[in-house]
Amino acid sequence: MRHVLRLLSVLAVLALGLAPAQETYVTFNADGSITIRLLTDDETVTFAPGELGNLVGPGLQPYAGKTITVTTNSGGVMGGISGPIYQVRPAWEELTGAKLNIVEIPLGEAFPQVFADLQLGTGQFDGFIVGADWYGDLVEGDFVVPVDTYFDNPGFPTWDRSGFPPSLQTLYTWGGRWYGTLNDSDGQVLYYRRDILTDPAIQAEYQAATGRALVVPPPTWDDVLSIARFLNGRDLNGDGEGDSGVVLHLKVNAQGLFHFISLAVPFVVTRPNQPFWFDPDTMDPIINSPGHVRALEFLIELSQYGPAAQVGWDLGEGWDYFLRGRAAFVFSWGDVGSLVQIPERSDIKGKLGASILPGVREVYDTASGQFVAVDPPNVVGNTTGGSWHGMISVLTPNPDVVYHLWATQATRSFSLWNVRQGWTGVDPGMAWHFVPPYGNASLEAYLSQGWNADDIVEYHRAYRDNYFAPLNLSFLRIPGAFEYRQSLDQNLSKAESGQLTPQEALDLTFAQWQETTDRLGRDRQRAIYRASLGLE
Amino acid sequence: MQKSPIKYVFLLPAVLWVLAFTIFPLIYSLRISFYNIRLGRNVSAIWVGLHNFARVFTDSRVQESVVVTLVLLVTTVTAQLVLGIALAVLFNRHLPGRSLLRTLMTTPLFATPVAVGLLFLTIYYEEGGFINSILPWKIPWISHPQWALVGVGLVEIWQWTPFCFLVFLAALQSLPDELYEAARLDTSSGWRVFRSLTLPMLQPVVILVLLLRLTEGLKVFDIPWGLTGGGPGTATQTYSMFTYRAGFRHFDFGYSSALGYVMLIAEMIVITFFFKRMRQVYE
Amino acid sequence: MTTGRNATLTAVGTSAVTRRVVRQWRQVGIVLLAFLATAVAGFPVYWALSMSLRRPADTFTVTGLGVPFLQYRPTLENWRTELSVAETYHALLNSTGIAVATTVLALLLGVPAAYALARFRFHLIKNKDIVTWFLSQRVLPPVVTVLPFYLIMRTLHLLDTQAALIIANTTFNLPFAVVILRQTFLDLPLELEEAALVDGATPFSTFWHVARPLAQPAIMAAGLIILAFTWNEFLFALTIGRLDAITLPVRIAGTAYSVRGVQFWYVSTQALLAIIPPTVLALLAQRYVVRGLTLGAVKG
């Protein structure tokens, strides 16, 4: 027992000795602007005069003595989505006098934990970083506070809603009201190795081998497949080993299903607000339609030209593979583009190409039950992912304090800082995030953060095209979204690992979804689904 | 001494504590298992009778998880016992630095299982991770349904073999030396000594360890949670994981309770079958 | 005759040499096997250390044994980052507090109960049946009780408190303590206690001053095991402790299942923080642990 005590006291001493010391993080400049220092980066962000609202200023601490607790995705101090909150915390606490507790919740647990807190009335959390698919449960349950009441209040930090593409604005609002404050924009785009696809020698060889021209960026999924097949097994990073045509992150109970969702949309959706998930009249799933099945068959065929291990890979492993130059294609979130720029993580800086996800030349037509040819290819944008952003709990005694924090994160200055960093997991989506000619952000500011000038233009073009695309995926935002998605995800993974055929996997999903809908109440689900599509 | 009322003061707090925190939850969960609970603006609990129990027996995900759990249980426990005995016999000899080696052998015993599961993600990494870089083949440790099960099983074996080893070693060392000397003189084959002498004498301990490992193994949750998340598909999703997901991810409280109860009842049947034996060994 | 005899002798001589050689090689083989087994057992902890010293880019590029300095330039960056946030200490302190409190509480309740079951006879329900009942608690799958326990803790307003986790862990570990310590008390010689009683000591002081000190090693063993089990407990901690009562395993799982994938470099750092304390304890008290783990049925 004496050993135990000794060990504990050593731990305690360590804990005390290493605890961070007190410092100042805020500078009030003469011109009224405010410069804050971030937690670990030795970086600063300067806010324009008045940008942070008139509640804060020299000698003012409007929320002294108050404490709020917010949830965020797990990831730690330098992790995606959670990192920026840690980074801004010391300065924000100094500015407002409030104390901020950050609760990290693993991705799969995030919604259940927050929902349980609200449903059981515990009220432990004052605010949350939510995924866009939580809206059905949270707003329809009256669990969150709209934020548009704060918009004209000069006390609070101001943030710019003018740059929102309609596809993203939908995700931050419900029934015409704003519930979210700008933070992340999520959507998948196609990334490729520009250096390889535009290499004349490779282009000539490709033409000779396949009889068609190598168009960059590839306009259809069939082109991607054909190029991936052609490049698979070649050495793409000069290490003497064969590399892969493509890499995917298909791990189950993580975010594997998003690959299928973003890829499948153009196979099925040809007009705005066309349902992708359920028949809005009967609430019967349409997830096993011939279009969906063909998309899954295609995804599995494409995955043959990637490493077998990707079935068990989460984003980190999949991205790492692409960043090390071991795959020619990946289709994924905005993080890839910014991670490519970080020398500690990537070997392919300056070699990045990006575009909106390709289209298809044959689309499933629900009315006729046939596949019909389309020209030009049917291209559809997507907002798959969380588009993680702040919301305010209806149970908090301090909604103002929570809003102040979220609005600080949403300010133009902080948001721009966020999207310029590779590691923050906050991806660009606003018109003012993009560099010319796609937006009006300063190219120099990006370059000074270490971006490659060619890479950033590719990257911003891809995202501008994606979010502002005329056709966009309708997001599944109804109650139980989490459960629906989990059963889809598990069944997709079964198909991808060869345990079920695509048809079987989606038929099984159909049956499980029916069960869930019946359990949750078909009429209520139908009403909310229709509302989420803007049908009523 | 027999009459002293103090015996109740000694015993009752412990009994009441365990009663309070197991019986009440069990009654509560039995009640919930007859309801469909819908969350949302208005929480509703709809009496559904035995419907949740009926679901347990028709849900293909349950059947898969039962298979996964049983396959893991049987293979890992067998391997742990066999390896445990083999290592105990090995370490029961004169070895240089035996006590140091034995100490290191126990490292896995109390290593936080969920952390271990996650660590093995990198050890199993298929594109040049530790194991695949020293093997001549590329083994799909996580991405292939059957290999993933093997992967989870090996971590379970890694973690719990030292337990069996320690127990068997202790048992071996408590065996009288004279018997061995006699046996050695009698026959030259080490294997025959092992078969005819060591194993029979170890038998009670083996059965005890078997029972302990079987009941613990049924609970398996942390390691697949960290390592595979139950995938690919549901290839490594254990019964405990599925029950947890039904309750805390889908908020299907009634179903989750029914799943728990079915497991409990199944286990009770097996245990009562085994319990006489267990008690005999234990007493 | 003579030649024959010589021949026999030679044969015996050769086979003795052969046997000695065989035996030596066998000994070498056995030693190698033992080293190999030990290396396998200890490897993941070394691996965690190696991973925690790598830059993110080295995570998957370093192959083989991943020896720092030889295969990559180690960095303390991950440790620095991990140790610079209050949340890490918070989780460490919670894990420690919950484990220590559970241990104390389980022993406080368990030692007297074990003694009572070893030394007194109960009539309403037989001692044997009470022990069996305690034993059966160990079998109860935690996933069966986690949901109702969660709902009950919510009614008691104890969600996300250390108290809730201390209650839960005490409930799991108390039966274990009772069962193994009862066996210990049974194995103690009765004469000393009888002598004390004859000298006029009360049953309590007999227990406290005579029996308990004799059982001290076993009590310590039980305590250590409870401490380690509680430290490692994941399911209840995951559901009940989130913020105020977050424990180290939950924090690790959190870092792992981040929205941007597993951050192996932090996970390995945290994994070491989690693994080291219980492992060190187990190494220190190995002698007792065997006995504890087998519910007292095997003497370590």
Side-chain angles (χ1 to χ4, degrees), chain A residues 74-75 77 107 124 255 335 344, chain C residues 57 85 160 254 257 259-260 263:
Chain A
S74 293
V77 180
L107 184 62
Q124 202 180 4
Q255 300 177 73
D335 310 53
E344 292 83 42
Chain C
V85 276
D160 199 20
Y257 286 97
V259 67
R260 308 291 151 171
Q263 298 177 295

Side-chain angles (χ1 to χ4, degrees), chain A residues 23-77:
Chain A
E23 294 163 87
T24 20
Y25 289 88
V26 180
T27 315
F28 297 102
N29 303 317
D31 63 350
S33 63
I34 299 172
T35 301
I36 64 165
R37 200 157 56 76
L38 301 177
L39 177 66
T40 57
D41 246 357
D42 285 328
E43 287 230 19
T44 58
V45 175
T46 300
F47 297 90
E51 193 177 7
L52 287 178
N54 59 23
L55 281 171
V56 296
L60 298 176
Q61 282 200 328
Y63 302 132
K66 299 202 167 162
T67 299
I68 60 165
T69 299
V70 300
T71 70
T72 182
N73 301 320
S74 293
V77 180

Side-chain angles (χ1 to χ4, degrees), chain C residues 248-265:
Chain C
L248 213 46
V250 177
R251 182 165 165 78
I252 296 171
T255 313
Y257 286 97
S258 112
V259 67
R260 308 291 151 171
V262 185
Q263 298 177 295
F264 293 101
W265 39 99

